[in-house]
Amino acid sequence: MIPLPGFDEGGQPHVVVERVQLDGSRRKVARGFGGGRNFGDRKKHADDLNDDIDFVLSDVVARTPALGIDPRLILVVETLTSSQSVAEEANWQRSGLRIVDTSSTKRVVAFSDDPSMSLFLSRLEAYSGGPKNGQASATHEAFFDNIDNVRPYGPQDRIGMELQTVLRQASRDDEVTVDVEVWYPGDIATADSWVTLIGDAVGGAGGVVHDSFSSEASGLALMRISARAGVVRQLLDVDLVAKVEVLPDSLTINASPSELSADTVADLPLPDEASPLVGIIDSGVVANHPLLRGCVVEAVSTSAWIEDGADRHGHGTAVASILARGSLDGQISSNDWDAPPFRIMSVRVLDENAQIPPYRLAERELTDAAIYLAQQGVRVINLSLGDLNGMIVGNRAPSIAALLDALSRSLNVVFVVPTGNVAPREYAGQFDETLSMDYPLRMLESPNARLLDPAPAATALTVGSLVSPLKPLPLGTAAIGKAAWPSPVSRIGFGIGDAVKPELCAPAGTMGQDQETHALLEPDELQVAVADGRLNSTGLITHDFGSSLAAPHVSRVAALVAAKYPEASGNLIRALTLQSAEPVPNEFLAASMEFTQGAASTEGRRFVGYGQASSLRSAESAIRDTVLIAESEIPVDGVHLYAVPVPEAFFTPKRASRGMTVTLSFDPLVRSRRMDYLSTRLKFEVVRGLPAAQVIEMFLSEAEDTAAGRRVKIPNRRGLTVSSIPAQKRIAMEPAQTIRCLGANQLARKTWQNSVPRFNDFPNDFFIVVQSLNRWAPPTSMQPYALTVRLWVDEKLPPIYEEVRTKVSSARIRARGRAQTR
């Protein structure tokens, strides 16, 4: 990996910066409703909705109990817009409806505990009467004008696509194993009671409940059930059920190893006994493997269905060898080995077939494993697994992704996950002579190359794989892709709500192609060396490829950060790991006539995220490369401000590179069945040449009202707005704020080739503005976050570290002195 210019003298601790202590509390915004009406004839629209409600109510009355469970009033409200804001949700509740799903575009699923829906109908009647007392709009107009129609939630909504095929072919008494998602009604006690009610009903019909799992943090209630097909068909009529699907393929891993004999390695350097722990959840590890001997503190299983933590497949051992030793190829050839900077704790969740035990829910097994590791003091967990049936579709969070987001917040840990693997046959179409160069375009055009669960997890660091440095190949074989291009087997983003996913990438091999037949090949030369942990294998080293092997490279970087800053939150570990990213050239798309440079940059992030993770400066600063770090909690709709001094080298009038990188990580509450998956959205911008108080005032003067789909401006005494900031004072960073703010792990860069202008009459600091935008978080909640700012210059310019550190320290002392005199 090539460092940026000037990154030659490390070993300096990062600089802690404190936020400017000004009033950045949220302001109450009068929420309005924008635009014209959707339904000009209110009376007719209200009558149509009344007819819909009559049908829903009569349907409930007409239906008989399913599996002995009484019908419940659950309805689908088709809406005209997909926005679901805090204000709108309150309207649903005031209408007597309990929302259980807003994840699908333009659709709300809700329960009514009132069998007559009296509150909803009384509000509908008020809307039907039109404006009163000279008002411009009817009562509740914004609410009802957005509703297109209302219908029951029926079996056609509950049945999974695979289950439809199975039930068509099954006789009444054939046994079927299914996963059942139960509606999460907003509180864990009710969810558990519904799970129990369904379990008792299935048991009474001769079925078996193998496992159940509910999570308040992620809003999930799941069951794994075996029953006769006739019972499963009845289950589709149970109103408490959200979805039923046949037992999915288990979490999958990429395993296509080829043999390579190697000399026995002995007396390798070991980690220090006091070095920190890093966790791995996988197929277990061979703890006494020569490459891992002395590196593995513990290899266990937390499942009653898996006897021990020993690896009987090989995948976990391969991943662990990268986690412990890094890239093996160079160390093998030179026999010069580095000491691992941390020790490994492994929890096995996969059996000898690399599958979750068949009658256990993956969500249950992963939760138990993560809790165990966190209890042992693990801060970073590598999870190189993916659910083949969990490809992200639309905006809904897959269940394991939602679970990881909830666990990372509650356990204060960092999960590192791969994008998942995809076979070229799933997206490439014909294997021809152009495949080796245009496969990225084919991936973009195919819906089959999207991320696998849990890769879309908002707080996890998701990792894509790159083609490793290429070696000489056998005659007649060509590599698919070039070095540092995305691997043709690595899935691509975006994430939930178009968030940047993956965030990072790392080398993990590629495939080859026969130049005559165009058939795909898997030569060792294009793969990466890993420890061979397969049962009955006699070799020490094997070769493999895939995104599973990219993730541990990033886990190493995150673990180095955790080791350097043992008191850091998971947010700060993620932010510093992200800060280490080195940009990856987008020539793999830019070479195509179909892409302008800007389009190639945007689409390229779907493959490589913000860049390639590097341990070079993740945990330490250098004399020309200074990182400032901060952690805080921001209130709902609040604004925080950080003053970052501009080094004199930035003002030096010389043709030389200098730049800034800002990262922001936070861990919001999540709900898997919500359109607004994240409870809070944070964003940051960089300005300069303005007084601190004025910056706060401007950013507080604008609040986003998603319910109205418009921007509402709060009057302030100076009449200032963010949009009025001159271009030279508002730093345009890449990617733009509108792109990066969609995720919980954000990064933006700015590079100057010439000097930065100096302002004589205004502060010359960079002001980093962090702003909170609430979606559905409680109004009194505080959102923890971590912020990092990197300032760097190349070797043509003087060092900056001591200058920045001294200025930040002086500003902190002055601020505390002012606070004491007040």
Side-chain angles (χ1 to χ4, degrees):
M1 287 175 272
I2 302 174
L4 290 171
F7 288 9
D8 53 353
E9 299 180 44
Q12 308 296 332
H14 293 329
V15 178
V16 177
V17 62
E18 296 180 358
R19 65 186 178 90
V20 178
Q21 296 296 320
L22 295 172
D23 181 15
S25 301
R26 67 186 179 95
R27 300 185 180 189
K28 293 185 180 294
V29 180
R31 301 201 178 261
F33 300 96
R37 300 205 314 270
N38 295 310
F39 296 95
D41 190 335
R42 299 182 184 89
K43 179 68 167 58
K44 182 180 184 305
H45 181 48
D47 289 343
D48 290 342
L49 292 181
N50 263 307
D51 291 342
D52 290 347
I53 296 300
D54 286 342
F55 177 79
V56 171
L57 297 179
S58 61
D59 176 73
V60 173
V61 172
R63 283 192 286 117
T64 58
L67 289 176
I69 300 175
D70 291 334
R72 303 294 179 94
L73 185 52
I74 178 171
L75 56 154
V76 178
V77 183
E78 306 285 357
T79 63
L80 296 174
T81 65
S82 58
S83 176
Q84 289 298 318
S85 72
V86 177
E88 281 185 300
E89 181 144 334
N91 271 326
W92 295 104
Q93 294 170 347
R94 285 192 290 269
S95 298
L97 298 177
R98 188 182 347 167
I99 292 180
V100 291
D101 183 9
T102 60
S103 65
S104 299
T105 303
K106 299 183 180 180
R107 189 182 82 167
V108 175
V109 182
F111 273 95
S112 175
D113 293 318
D114 175 10
S116 63
M117 292 186 63
S118 55
L119 281 175
F120 187 93
L121 292 174
S122 66
R123 290 164 69 89
L124 181 59
E125 183 178 1
Y127 158 75
S128 176
K132 299 289 194 300
N133 302 322
Q135 295 178 339
S137 301
T139 306
H140 314 307
E141 179 157 328
F143 179 71
F144 287 107
D145 190 59
N146 190 40
I147 296 177
D148 188 19
N149 61 79
V150 181
R151 65 172 177 84
Y153 188 91
Q156 75 281 359
D157 298 295
R158 296 186 181 92
I159 190 167
M161 292 182 62
E162 297 296 328
L163 181 57
Q164 293 183 49
T165 302
V166 170
L167 291 183
R168 278 198 300 267
Q169 300 172 351
S171 66
R172 177 180 178 82
D173 293 328
D174 287 344
E175 185 172 283
V176 181
T177 300
V178 294
D179 276 351
V180 178
E181 182 181 0
V182 181
W183 290 118
Y184 189 84
D187 66 280
I188 194 71
T190 304
D192 286 341
S193 70
W194 288 358
V195 168
T196 299
L197 183 62
I198 294 171
D200 290 344
V202 169
V208 177
V209 177
H210 300 293
D211 199 7
S212 63
F213 174 82
S214 55
S215 166
E216 182 176 21
S218 56
L220 291 172
L222 308 170
M223 306 175 72
R224 180 157 292 175
I225 290 170
S226 288
R228 291 176 289 112
V231 175
V232 173
R233 290 189 179 96
Q234 293 182 67
L235 199 58
L236 295 172
D237 289 317
V238 175
D239 291 315
L240 302 180
V241 170
K243 197 78 173 179
V244 185
E245 182 59 286
V246 291
L247 185 67
D249 292 334
S250 184
L251 294 186
T252 185
I253 57 181
N254 179 52
S256 54
S258 56
E259 294 289 354
L260 176 72
S261 61
D263 295 333
T264 301
V265 289
D267 300 323
L268 297 184
L270 302 178
D272 186 273
E273 292 184 358
S275 59
L277 301 171
V278 61
I280 177 173
I281 300 176
D282 212 289
S283 64
V285 297
V286 177
N288 64 349
H289 189 285
L291 293 181
L292 296 177
R293 191 178 296 133
C295 300
V296 181
V297 174
E298 190 175 39
V300 302
S301 168
T302 54
S303 173
W305 293 70
I306 296 178
E307 61 272 29
D308 55 41
D311 190 2
R312 291 171 176 79
H313 180 273
H315 185 266
T317 301
V319 171
S321 67
I322 296 176
L323 199 56
R325 301 288 179 183
S327 178
L328 302 185
D329 294 274
Q331 298 177 88
I332 292 171
S333 60
S334 66
N335 201 28
D336 184 13
W337 297 83
D338 297 328
F342 35 74
R343 300 166 296 155
I344 293 175
M345 292 196 72
S346 167
V347 177
R348 179 184 170 197
V349 297
L350 303 179
D351 61 20
E352 61 276 7
N353 298 314
Q355 295 183 339
I356 293 285
Y359 296 127
R360 297 288 287 176
L361 290 164
E363 292 82 0
R364 164 80 67 189
E365 299 292 271
L366 294 177
T367 296
D368 292 345
I371 290 174
Y372 179 82
L373 289 172
Q375 290 173 340
Q376 311 311 309
V378 169
R379 304 296 313 286
V380 177
I381 299 175
N382 190 96
L383 185 67
S384 288
L385 307 175
D387 181 0
L388 281 175
N389 287 342
M391 188 171 66
I392 184 172
V393 177
N395 199 59
R396 186 186 171 192
S399 62
I400 300 177
L403 178 68
L404 294 195
D405 284 330
L407 288 172
S408 66
R409 178 184 173 94
S410 63
L411 300 178
N412 194 28
V413 298
V414 175
F415 288 100
V416 181
V417 301
T419 57
N421 294 334
V422 59
R425 66 176 179 272
E426 296 184 44
Y427 67 80
Q430 183 179 1
F431 293 166
D432 54 26
E433 67 276 4
T434 68
L435 176 65
S436 64
M437 298 299 289
D438 70 4
Y439 68 90
L441 300 182
R442 302 191 196 189
M443 296 181 79
L444 285 173
E445 293 168 354
S446 172
N448 299 326
R450 297 295 304 278
L451 301 176
L452 288 183
D453 192 13
T459 55
L461 291 174
T462 304
V463 187
S465 61
L466 300 176
V467 176
S468 303
L470 298 177
K471 303 173 185 176
L473 292 172
L475 190 64
T477 300
I480 298 182
K482 298 181 180 181
W485 281 30
S487 171
V489 299
S490 183
R491 289 180 175 270
I492 64 174
F494 298 107
I496 303 163
D498 291 335
V500 173
K501 285 285 179 179
E503 292 96 342
L504 296 165
C505 54
T510 185
M511 303 181 75
Q513 189 175 25
D514 186 293
Q515 291 180 309
E516 182 176 347
T517 67
H518 308 309
L520 299 187
L521 306 171
E522 298 179 3
D524 290 350
E525 292 86 351
L526 294 177
Q527 303 184 34
V528 295
V530 292
D532 191 347
R534 293 171 295 163
L535 194 63
N536 301 323
S537 175
T538 57
L540 296 180
I541 305 295
T542 186
H543 281 81
D544 204 351
F545 64 98
S547 63
S548 286
L549 305 181
H553 286 289
V554 174
S555 294
R556 282 176 59 84
V557 177
L560 287 172
V561 173
K564 184 71 173 181
Y565 300 96
E567 301 302 318
S569 68
N571 287 329
L572 183 55
I573 294 171
R574 286 187 284 125
L576 283 173
T577 303
L578 197 61
Q579 181 65 260
S580 79
E582 298 175 357
V584 174
N586 56 35
E587 64 178 43
F588 58 91
L589 288 178
S592 170
M593 296 296 292
E594 298 181 32
F595 288 90
T596 64
Q597 185 62 35
S601 176
T602 298
E603 298 295 348
R605 278 190 291 271
R606 296 179 61 180
F607 295 83
V608 299
Y610 295 115
Q612 183 172 346
S614 168
S615 60
L616 186 68
R617 292 292 176 261
S618 59
E620 293 180 339
S621 291
I623 61 173
R624 288 182 173 84
D625 169 28
T626 301
V627 176
L628 295 88
I629 59 177
E631 291 196 79
S632 189
E633 294 184 337
I634 191 168
V636 167
D637 295 328
V639 174
H640 282 179
L641 189 69
Y642 294 85
V644 174
V646 182
E648 285 299 315
F650 275 51
F651 300 125
T652 303
K654 181 181 291 187
R655 179 75 177 177
S657 298
R658 61 213 91 188
M660 172 173 56
T661 304
V662 181
T663 69
L664 175 70
S665 291
F666 62 106
D667 55 355
L669 297 168
V670 298
R671 285 293 182 272
S672 63
R673 280 192 171 269
R674 300 193 67 134
M675 177 62 69
D676 289 328
Y677 175 64
L678 307 182
S679 64
T680 304
R681 182 173 293 170
L682 300 190
K683 65 178 184 179
F684 69 84
E685 294 201 51
V686 183
V687 300
R688 60 185 297 263
L690 297 168
Q694 186 173 340
V695 174
I696 286 282
E697 187 76 22
M698 283 190 292
F699 278 88
L700 280 175
S701 72
E702 293 193 1
E704 193 171 57
D705 187 345
T706 56
R710 56 182 286 200
R711 184 167 291 277
V712 177
K713 294 181 180 179
I714 308 171
N716 62 73
R717 62 181 179 273
R718 299 186 183 92
L720 303 170
T721 64
V722 174
S723 58
S724 68
I725 301 175
Q728 68 269 27
K729 295 185 178 182
R730 189 176 185 182
I731 308 301
M733 306 190 75
E734 172 63 27
Q737 179 266 122
T738 53
I739 294 173
R740 62 182 185 255
C741 78
L742 301 176
N745 298 313
Q746 304 175 22
L747 177 148
R749 301 180 176 96
K750 174 68 176 180
T751 301
W752 293 267
Q753 297 300 330
N754 294 300
S755 60
V756 174
R758 189 191 297 272
F759 299 108
N760 295 323
D761 300 328
F762 298 98
N764 277 291
D765 290 343
F766 290 121
F767 284 128
I768 316 297
V769 185
V770 178
Q771 190 168 12
S772 165
L773 301 174
N774 189 30
R775 291 301 187 262
W776 49 269
T780 59
S781 65
M782 302 289 286
Q783 175 60 61
Y785 69 89
L787 179 77
T788 78
V789 182
R790 167 174 264 118
L791 302 173
W792 62 270
V793 297
D794 73 15
E795 67 275 3
K796 298 177 184 178
L797 296 170
I800 63 173
Y801 178 82
E802 283 299 328
E803 177 191 354
V804 171
R805 185 187 64 82
T806 300
K807 288 182 176 180
V808 169
S809 298
S810 299
R812 185 184 303 124
I813 292 171
R814 289 196 302 272
R816 289 175 179 172
R818 287 194 297 270
Q820 291 173 359
T821 59
R822 288 175 182 170

